[in-house]
Every structure is written in structure tokens, then in C-alpha cells.
Amino acid sequence: MTANIYALFAEEAAKAGAKPLIVERGRTRLTYAHLDTIVGQWAQALVGLGGKPGDRIVVQVEKSVENVLLYLASLRAGLVYVPLNTAYTPAELEYFIDDAEPAIVVCDPARQEAIAPLSGDAKLVTLDAEGHGSLAEHEAMASTVPFETVERAPDDLAAILYTSGTTGLSKGAMLSHDNLASNALVLKDYWHWQTDDVLIHALPIYHVHGLFVALHLALLGGSTIRFHSGFDADAILADMPDATVLMGVPTFYVRLADHDGLTREVSANMRLFISGSAPLLESTFADFETKTGHRILERYGMTEAGMITSNPYDGERIPGTVGFPLPGVAARVADESGAEVERGTPGVLEIKGPNLFQGYWKKPDKTAEEMRADGYFITGDIATMDAEGRVAIVGRAKDLIIAGGLNIYPKEIELVLDAVPGVTESAVIGVAHPDLGEAVVAIVVREDDALEENAILSAISDQLARFKQPRRILFAGSLPRNAMGKVQKAKLRDQHSGLFAA
Ligand code: MCA
Ligand code: AMP
């Protein structure tokens, strides 16, 4: 039997029959009955472009139903799917394309000219937000020949997702078919996924949360997706009476809780609100419960391992905690040597399980740095575990900012800022922000007082995706350092903690 995860989806599709799979703005865009044929045509198009099993396909396109088909076709054809945030600039893309060495690159037609010089020997094809472009027009889209799903072994790669590093350089996390399938099957059970579930899907589909967790669960459940191109509180509330599940980052819940339209009545049909990717504030949890009667289920994960812990479905969901390690996942809170600390004591969370990735693409040294000899992965998150095994994430050992659920590594921003003429040095920190959770702030030491915030922001604008650019640049005469010469970021964070106070 093949380990290709697509085969699991096809099996469920055969049971679901004529049921809608994707509904967008009230219109059925895809039914389960048509899924296999259409994905087969897309897979044939990818093969027609020269894609062979194991080849990487780099995809930077707007969210669309066709983007979902492209993802499923890549799996089915045995390609390794490499999705990229649509906000990345061509300067950022160059690194990813170079590193992934893809056979096929898919981009928005508006970007074709900028990306062509970066794509080397790869076939470059296009797909726009409406699902049009040279890929969608490939002759295979009219094929009536059934496509045979490519055989894959459990450890064969299904996807590479780039995640930034503390050195400022992105690393590609290699995820196998079995990594993805095992995690999805566990979650389906854990969250009591049901065939009559209707999922509101408003997350981007270039990260684990929207691409794997949300899509895989709906497909495995044979459920219907209410598809949204992005987060729009009005549109989500309009879908809510007909839906049962929402997955979102905490910013979704902050914005919904602030909306007058969020009521017990509108959410009466919902059975599950899931939050993750960043810490959910206890105040958001409480506001949401007061307005709807629903207790948000918070879970914790990361690109390298998918979902790791979850609050229980039936048991108590405790705000400020991320619940228990999922079945099959082993977790320990450890000291610097990897030895487990006493329950209740903070330490770094280390994990192991079938969900754990295959390592960083072409970076065995980086993989080795984050692994213990006994196979545990060092997450870099500071956690506590209580006597029952319930985990709370209480901090980060890694220098990382999470804004609106997107990870931003200060080092990458500092390197770009330091290269701006007139900047002596910089320190980038995350400051509490009412909407995004954290926002990027740069403290800059400048050579000349005439160098202003706007000049720096415009100097970096084509090098960094907008979401990574500092919301504020503050100037200082020098940066506070400890005896070792290391910048004291905690001090800077304290000093500026009220910058965005509501
Ligand atoms: C948009 N902007 C942002 C962000 N998003 N700035 C900082 N952080 C962000 N996350 C900027 C835009 O460039 C724009 O700048 C301005 O904010 C408003 O943009 P807009 O498009 O209107 O924002 P939005 O559509 O309201 O998006 C905010 C959002 C979105 C809904 C929070 O970022 C989002 O969907 N985030 C989810 C990310 C995600 O899926 N994370 C999961 C990672 P300007 O106006 O100046 O041009 S997977 C993961 O972390 C692990 C595995 C896990 O556990 O899940
Ligand atoms: P990513 O690299 O995008 O996969 O982000 C993974 C990181 O997001 C984790 O290492 C955590 O720091 C953070 N994260 C994810 N879920 C949660 C959560 N529920 N609470 C706190 N942090 C979280």
C-alpha cells in the first residue's frame, strides 16, 4: 500500500460522493465526486512540465481553490511541495529558489518578470488569484486519462516548509508523507472530527496551520470547507451560522471578540474554535467565552513537527496552557543538557514522535544542532509541565517574534538594517501589540541624527516582506549590553513595553 497521503484523501472522497468540498462566497467550487479527476488533471500537467517524483515545486501564489488543487496534485505526483509566503519580495525569493533547486516554479503572473531571472533551469508557470495562468491552461487539464497516484514510501518527502533561523538564514524543514498523515489522523480523532463538519478556512495556505492542519482535517473528515481568501471578520461571521469549526491565529479571535456581530446566536451551530501559532491571551479567551459561551481550544505546534500538544476536546481547556502532548508524541521539559527537570519547573520543551520532520534540507549540521542523541528535538520554546503532563508555553529560548501568527527572526531584520548607510547598529525586538500579539520594533544607533525613521523604512522596503518590517524605528545613543557584550533585549523589551498600549 502506498504511503502517499493523497491516497487517504482519495479514499474519503470516494465515500463523500457528491458532497461539496469547497464552497466559496456561497458557490460550490469543488465536490468530492470531482476531486480525483480534477487533481489527476493537475498532476498530469505537472508531469507534463517535467516534474518527477522527488522534484521540488516552489509555489508563490495567492490563495485560491486552484492553489489547493495544485498542492494536492503535487502530492499525488510525488513532487515535494515548497510553498512560499506571498509577501516575500523577489530579493527574499532568490534564496529559497536557489536553495530548493526546484524543477517547477509557480508564481503569480504579475511576478513572472521578476522571478524569471531567479528560476534558473526550473520551468516557470503562472497561476493568479482567480485560478488563471499558464499552468491552469496546460493541455492536460482536458485529459480524460485517469492519473495513477505515485507510490511513496512513509519517509519520502511530501513538502519542504521554510522556517527562519536565529542566524537570520531560513532552513527548509523536510516533511514526509508519514509525518503529515500521522499528525492529521491523530488530530481527526483528538478533535472528534465529523463528516458533517463545516470548516471556515481563512488562513493562508503556505504555512502548516492553513495548509496541513486545516486542509488535511477537512479532507480526512470528508467535510465541507467554507473557503475565504483571507481574514475578514464580517465574512466569517456571515458563514458562522452554517459552520461548525474555525481554525485561526490569536489575531482572528482578538478581532472577532471586538466585533459587535459576535454573539451566542451567530455561533450557536459552531462546535469548535481552535487557536494556535502564537500565544492566545487569557483575556481574549475570556472575552470570547463571555460573548459566545465557547471555550477556545488552544493547541501548540511548529513547522518542524506539525501539531505537538492540544487542550482536550472533552476535558478542561485551560487558558494560558496548550494542553497535553498528542497521542504518539513524547514531550519533556529539559535543562541545557537535555535532562528532564522537575515538573512545574520551566525549561526547554523537547519532543519526539512520528510527526517530527526528516531534518533541514541540505543542512545536516543545523539538524544535528537541534537534536538530542536520543532523538528528541529541541523546540526552543520555554515551557512548564504539570504533574498530569499539561504543558504551558511560558517563553522562548530562541530570539523570535510572532506577529499575527507569522514568525519573524530579529537577526534577519538586524542584518538588513545594519547594511543601511548611516546605521551603526540595531536591535530588533517584539513589543506587545493589541491586534498582532507582538509587533516588530527596531532600536537603531545612527551615525547622523539626520537619518530618519522613514528613510530607513524606505531603504529596506524591497528587501523584506512588509510583515517583517518594523512598525516603529526608535533611536538610541547606544544599545544596552551585558558583560559579555551581548545586547540586553529583555531590557529593551521592558523599556518599550507600552509602545502600542491600547
Ligand atoms: C499582515 N501584515 C502584517 C501581518 N499580516 N504585519 C505583521 N504581522 C502580520 N501577521 C501587514 C500587511 O503587510 C499590511 O501592511 C498590514 O499589516 C495590513 O495587512 P492586511 O493584509 O490587511 O492584514 P490582514 O489580512 O488583516 O492579516 C493579518 C492576519 C494575517 C489575519 C493576522 O497575517 C494572517 O492570516 N496570519 C496568519 C499567519 C499564519 O497562518 N500563521 C501560521 C503559521 P501595510 O498596511 O503597512 O501595507 S504555522 C505555525 O506557526 C505553527 C506550525 C502553528 O503552530 O500553527
Ligand atoms: P513556526 O516556526 O511558524 O512553525 O512557529 C512555531 C512556533 O510558534 C513555536 O515554536 C512557538 O514558539 C509558537 N507557537 C505555536 N503555537 C503556539 C501556542 N499555542 N502558544 C505559544 N506559542 C505557540
Side-chain angles (χ1 to χ4, degrees):
M1 215 182 75
T2 182
N4 192 322
I5 187 174
Y6 177 77
L8 290 178
F9 304 148
E11 208 176 297
E12 293 306 325
K15 291 186 223 155
K19 190 173 176 183
L21 165 51
I22 303 185
V23 176
E24 192 177 30
R25 290 189 287 270
R27 200 160 74 85
T28 298
R29 294 286 317 279
L30 186 64
T31 63
Y32 277 100
H34 288 108
L35 180 74
D36 212 49
T37 306
I38 299 179
V39 172
Q41 291 166 334
W42 281 74
Q44 281 188 43
L46 299 179
V47 172
L49 289 168
K52 293 186 297 303
D55 280 349
R56 273 79 53 217
I57 174 168
V58 167
V59 177
Q60 190 198 35
V61 300
E62 294 299 333
K63 184 176 178 183
S64 66
V65 176
E66 289 72 15
N67 184 183
V68 174
L69 294 169
L70 170 59
Y71 165 58
L72 295 174
S74 302
L75 293 173
R76 191 169 180 189
L79 303 184
V80 181
Y81 193 72
V82 188
L84 295 176
N85 190 325
T86 45
Y88 289 147
T89 64
E92 292 166 301
L93 283 183
E94 188 169 4
Y95 170 81
F96 297 118
I97 297 177
D98 237 38
D99 191 63
E101 301 180 85
I104 303 172
V105 175
V106 190
C107 72
D108 193 276
R111 288 218 157 175
Q112 190 173 11
E113 211 179 316
I115 293 180
L118 314 176
S119 35
D121 294 336
K123 278 266 168 48
L124 179 63
V125 286
T126 61
L127 188 65
D128 70 13
E130 270 70 52
H132 305 303
S134 62
L135 175 58
E137 279 141 31
H138 193 282
E139 59 186 19
M141 298 301 180
S143 170
T144 52
V145 184
F147 183 87
E148 195 157 331
T149 301
V150 170
E151 286 284 325
R152 295 282 80 192
D155 289 348
D156 283 339
L157 298 190
I160 296 178
L161 266 69
Y162 279 91
T163 151
S164 292
T166 39
T167 54
L169 212 58
S170 283
K171 299 167 288 184
M174 300 189 287
L175 297 157
S176 69
H177 282 266
D178 192 51
N179 288 148
L180 302 183
S182 61
N183 208 224
L185 288 167
V186 161
L187 292 172
K188 182 183 170 189
D189 222 35
Y190 207 79
W191 292 339
H192 294 210
W193 208 271
Q194 298 152 17
T195 318
D196 56 0
D197 268 326
V198 176
L199 169 76
I200 300 179
H201 192 308
L203 287 160
I205 49 175
Y206 40 68
H207 286 310
V208 167
H209 200 164
L211 182 65
F212 300 149
V213 189
L215 283 184
H216 292 180
L217 284 176
L219 285 160
L220 281 184
S223 333
T224 297
I225 295 174
R226 293 285 181 125
F227 199 74
H228 294 245
S229 57
F231 179 88
D232 174 340
D234 293 326
I236 286 176
L237 287 165
D239 264 355
M240 215 175 262
D242 300 318
T244 62
V245 183
L246 173 69
M247 289 187 196
V249 294
T251 301
F252 280 27
Y253 294 105
V254 169
R255 291 182 185 180
L256 285 170
D258 268 356
H259 196 292
D260 289 340
L262 183 77
T263 59
R264 278 178 190 260
E265 292 70 39
V266 85
S267 61
N269 196 50
M270 293 290 290
R271 73 167 180 93
L272 190 55
F273 289 95
I274 297 173
S275 176
S277 311
L280 179 74
L281 292 181
E282 293 186 34
S283 53
T284 308
F285 180 97
D287 288 351
F288 203 86
E289 186 175 15
T290 306
K291 294 189 84 173
T292 64
H294 289 280
R295 289 171 76 79
I296 298 171
L297 183 152
E298 185 173 9
R299 82 337 175 248
Y300 156 82
M302 65 190 301
T303 301
E304 289 89 337
M307 298 302 99
I308 298 168
T309 72
S310 172
N311 267 282
Y313 185 80
D314 289 321
E316 178 111 38
R317 299 174 194 168
I318 303 183
T321 80
V322 292
F324 302 92
L326 288 168
V329 177
R332 67 185 177 208
V333 175
D335 65 16
E336 280 176 7
S337 71
E340 189 160 358
V341 298
E342 237 177 80
R343 292 291 167 107
T345 309
V348 174
L349 188 70
E350 302 189 348
I351 61 122
K352 187 160 122 167
N355 52 330
L356 189 58
F357 74 152
Q358 308 297 303
Y360 294 113
W361 171 251
K362 298 198 303 195
K363 289 188 173 50
D365 297 354
K366 296 275 174 209
T367 309
E369 274 171 29
E370 294 181 26
M371 297 295 299
R372 296 284 180 200
D374 59 0
Y376 275 79
F377 174 73
I378 307 164
T379 64
D381 289 308
I382 312 273
T384 57
M385 191 186 274
D386 71 11
E388 280 73 49
R390 192 184 279 273
V391 177
I393 305 294
V394 297
R396 292 177 205 138
K398 50 196 174 190
D399 192 11
L400 162 70
I401 299 166
I402 307 184
L406 291 175
N407 289 12
I408 299 158
Y409 279 84
K411 188 71 191 172
E412 183 187 356
I413 323 294
E414 287 160 4
L415 289 172
V416 173
L417 286 171
D418 292 352
V420 174
V423 170
T424 311
E425 60 174 344
S426 62
V428 168
I429 55 170
V431 171
H433 188 278
D435 179 44
L436 297 170
E438 282 182 285
V440 178
V441 171
I443 321 297
V444 165
V445 179
R446 58 188 163 183
E447 282 161 21
D448 178 355
D449 284 356
L451 181 66
E452 287 182 350
E453 186 171 2
N454 282 340
I456 299 179
L457 286 174
S458 73
I460 63 168
S461 67
D462 61 350
Q463 291 176 69
L464 290 173
R466 172 71 189 112
F467 73 89
K468 296 181 196 166
Q469 294 171 25
R471 291 284 160 137
R472 286 298 314 273
I473 292 184
L474 308 171
F475 294 100
S478 63
L479 298 177
R481 290 183 188 278
N482 65 15
M484 316 273 285
K486 200 166 176 270
V487 176
Q488 292 168 303
K489 290 206 171 172
K491 205 172 215 177
L492 289 173
R493 279 192 288 266
D494 278 351
Q495 206 176 331
H496 301 293
S497 60
L499 198 59
F500 301 107

